Amino acid sequence: MNSPIISKEAVLAALSKVEEPELHQDLVSLNMVQNLQIEDGKVNFDIVLTTPACPLKGKIEAEARQAVLSVPGVKEVNIRFDAYVRNDGHARGLMEIPVKNAVAVASGKGGVGKTTVAVNLAVALAQSGARIGLLDADIYGPNVPRMMGVDRLPPIQGEKIKPAEAYGVKVMSIGFLVPPGKALIWRGPMLHSAIRQFLGDVDWGLLDYLIIDLPPGTGDAQLSLAQSMPLSGGVIVTLPQAVSLEDASRGIQMFEQLNVPILGVIENMSYLQMPDGTVVDVFGRGGGEILAKQHQAPFLGVIPLEPAVRVGGDEGKPIVLSQPESAAGKALRQIAEHLAAQLSIAAFKRQGGVKIEMVE
């Protein structure tokens, strides 16, 4: 008995019942199914994700495989994954920066681990295969070079500055341009000029995501950045304790006043797990989630307090690399995936749900 003929139309009809869980539309209408081939009962195709850091890749794969296997005559399904990060829709032509998404990482106060979070998010996204830049806009306390294990820029070639590179991340910081330990005193116009130079005079190349580590607080640097470059959104890092939450709330209000969407809240140093398994809430717990609900913002997750996080920062090897299976390493990687998903959703809504077009 001859096997039934499998048509591309039948396979696409089956895949049209599989929904992209974040965007809530089917894979076919989103044009995420590419290079469909059928031969001797074997079906091969690509699924082009909206981000290489997709947190629900496994769910999409399982549902797509099951859907195609339900087509009469299909014996085997081979799915390959690719990713095309969508542009957030903002024009950045004035700064001549080919950045698809720009994310500011902020906090209402210092000492909450904002730079540590920014560095690990950048590295985690780079590990997923995305093209990442990391801008250290904390010009009062530039710690990114140490945390990324780089201390100098490449030799200047051409008109633009080449960023340093570590772990697949392009890095720029005022820390590369001043002697270590030198006090940095900035007036408003100087600060604005420096931030514009970091954006426009650096050869970033094409980036899927530019992660920007802001200074703590709500001052000139935040205003200068928002005026210099359209942002996809902002992320707020806070501790669970009440004092930190009050300051973080001011950071959210600052973004709101600057018309910068809030991509999410991250609760850092959420708890300390002791060797015997008991958990100590050093700074309280749950405050970040409450803050997110108060401002109707996504809650991206919690990061435990672990000595290895500090060690990784001091030694220039972020914990998502040095101890990826640690509780903090896993948490930061999951938060990076959730952040990428929020950016995909925001870009999808801003562009009115148009199909993915594979054009660089």
Side-chain angles (χ1 to χ4, degrees):
M1 184 176 176
N2 294 330
S3 299
I5 297 175
I6 308 166
S7 67
K8 288 188 176 182
E9 290 76 14
V11 173
L12 291 173
L15 288 170
S16 69
K17 296 180 174 63
V18 179
E19 186 179 83
E20 206 287 343
E22 300 282 0
L23 303 182
H24 303 297
Q25 287 194 24
D26 69 90
L27 302 183
V28 176
S29 65
L30 288 170
N31 202 28
M32 293 174 68
V33 178
Q34 302 283 329
N35 303 320
L36 174 60
Q37 296 178 332
I38 303 168
E39 184 178 357
D40 297 330
K42 297 180 181 179
V43 178
N44 304 296
F45 59 93
D46 299 343
I47 294 179
V48 183
L49 302 170
T50 57
T51 172
C54 178
L56 298 172
K57 175 181 175 181
K59 175 180 172 64
I60 294 172
E61 180 177 15
E63 292 184 359
R65 186 180 305 279
Q66 183 179 4
V68 176
L69 284 172
S70 70
V71 176
V74 174
K75 300 174 184 176
E76 184 179 326
V77 178
N78 296 310
I79 303 174
R80 299 172 299 269
F81 280 94
D82 199 353
Y84 180 77
V85 177
R86 305 175 74 146
N87 192 300
D88 65 4
H90 288 296
R92 298 189 174 93
L94 293 177
M95 298 300 296
E96 297 183 351
I97 307 173
V99 174
K100 293 184 178 181
N101 298 275
V103 179
V105 181
S107 64
K109 60 179 292 183
V112 302
K114 168 187 54 62
T115 301
T116 298
V117 170
V119 163
N120 278 279
L121 290 180
V123 173
L125 289 169
Q127 284 182 305
S128 76
R131 294 164 293 195
I132 304 297
L134 176 59
L135 171 59
D136 185 0
D138 189 350
I139 57 177
Y140 302 110
N143 300 129
V144 166
R146 172 182 288 276
M147 291 186 177
M148 290 293 287
V150 288
D151 58 5
R152 61 176 61 89
L153 293 170
I156 294 178
Q157 297 178 348
E159 297 181 356
K160 290 200 171 187
I161 301 170
K162 283 282 187 184
E165 190 162 342
Y167 313 123
V169 177
K170 294 179 179 180
V171 183
M172 185 59 197
S173 170
I174 191 65
F176 295 133
L177 307 177
V178 297
K182 179 178 175 61
L184 300 176
I185 303 172
W186 296 86
R187 296 183 185 274
M190 294 168 56
L191 186 150
H192 185 73
S193 175
I195 287 179
R196 288 188 65 86
Q197 284 191 288
F198 288 159
L199 293 170
D201 293 347
V202 174
D203 184 11
W204 290 104
L206 179 62
L207 298 177
D208 293 318
Y209 306 103
L210 176 63
I211 306 298
I212 304 168
D213 179 38
L214 288 176
T218 55
D220 283 351
Q222 289 82 349
L223 180 60
S224 293
L225 179 64
Q227 290 175 339
S228 299
M229 181 181 190
L231 294 171
S232 309
V235 172
I236 293 290
V237 181
T238 184
L239 301 187
Q241 69 191 87
V243 172
S244 181
L245 294 173
E246 290 176 5
D247 292 325
S249 182
R250 296 187 188 99
I252 291 177
Q253 292 170 21
M254 169 199 69
F255 279 137
E256 291 173 344
Q257 290 176 13
L258 295 173
N259 294 319
V260 175
I262 307 300
L263 295 167
V265 174
I266 299 169
E267 182 178 296
N268 194 24
M269 306 184 205
S270 182
Y271 61 91
L272 173 65
Q273 186 160 351
M274 306 301 290
D276 63 359
T278 59
V279 172
V280 179
D281 296 332
V282 180
F283 299 108
R285 197 171 185 184
E289 190 168 7
I290 293 171
L291 179 68
K293 288 180 179 177
Q294 287 175 345
H295 290 272
Q296 298 180 330
F299 182 61
L300 298 178
V302 302
I303 305 166
L305 180 62
E306 289 186 9
V309 177
R310 190 271 307 164
V311 172
D314 287 349
E315 296 181 352
K317 192 168 185 181
I319 194 168
V320 292
L321 286 170
S322 62
Q323 295 191 33
E325 296 306 312
S326 65
K330 288 180 179 178
L332 282 158
R333 195 162 57 248
Q334 289 172 355
I335 289 170
E337 292 173 351
H338 292 321
L339 173 60
Q342 289 299 319
L343 287 164
S344 293
I345 294 168
F348 178 77
K349 290 180 178 178
R350 186 177 179 86
Q351 296 175 14
V354 296
K355 293 181 178 181
I356 299 172
E357 299 292 342
M358 261 58 75
V359 178
E360 291 293 348

